[in-house]
Amino acid sequence: MTSQTYDPNNIFAKILKGEIPCHKVYEDDDALAFMDVMPQAEGHLLVVPKVASRNLLDADPAVLAKLYPVVQKLAVAAKEAFDADGVLVSQFNEAAAGQTVFHLHVHIIPRKESAPLRPHSGSMEDPAVLARNAERLRAVL
Ligand code: 5GP
């Protein structure tokens, strides 16, 4: 069984430390938002708290209280930026529930009636597309 502790070398911890790049959308003292590299729909982004939490199950409620207003702000921005019909907000806890990166993160996925959801952790998007979509989001914030 996998140890359910926080691994400080997970990929989002490395993004937070600036050790690997991301297409940044938003940052404040408590949260960072960036494009998902394997988007399930155009404009799919992730919001992470800066504090180390593995997922919702171990997170300090005070961290969640600061994170979710950012999730809301970015969900509204995503709907506008991508002219979406709706926005899917999802968050997985442990591998059995679909979690693959073990730093708490919230998915924000703009949805259009006409566009089926692509598979989770499917195919890598062209970095130029991710850069353009991050810019579209920043432009409406
Ligand atoms: P989870 O299954 O843990 O909820 O989702 C992890 C998400 O992170 C997936 O949607 C996956 O596409 C995305 N992802 C995995 N590695 C990277 C990465 O290095 N950079 C970014 N921006 N997203 C990643």
Side-chain angles (χ1 to χ4, degrees), residues 11-12 15 20 34-38 44 46 92 98-101 105 107 120-121:
I11 199 97
F12 294 166
I15 287 175
I20 64 166
F34 51 89
M35 304 311 293
D36 193 306
V37 289
M38 291 176 266
H44 181 172
L46 302 167
F92 306 142
Q99 187 175 9
T100 59
V101 178
H105 56 278
H107 297 259
H120 177 233
S121 297

Side-chain angles (χ1 to χ4, degrees), residues 38-40 118-124:
M38 291 176 266
Q40 289 187 253
R118 301 200 285 262
H120 177 233
S121 297
S123 52
M124 292 286 283

Side-chain angles (χ1 to χ4, degrees), residues 52-69:
S53 312
R54 187 174 159 90
N55 55 42
L56 184 75
L57 305 177
D58 68 333
D60 184 334
V63 169
L64 302 177
K66 286 182 174 164
L67 187 68
Y68 271 83

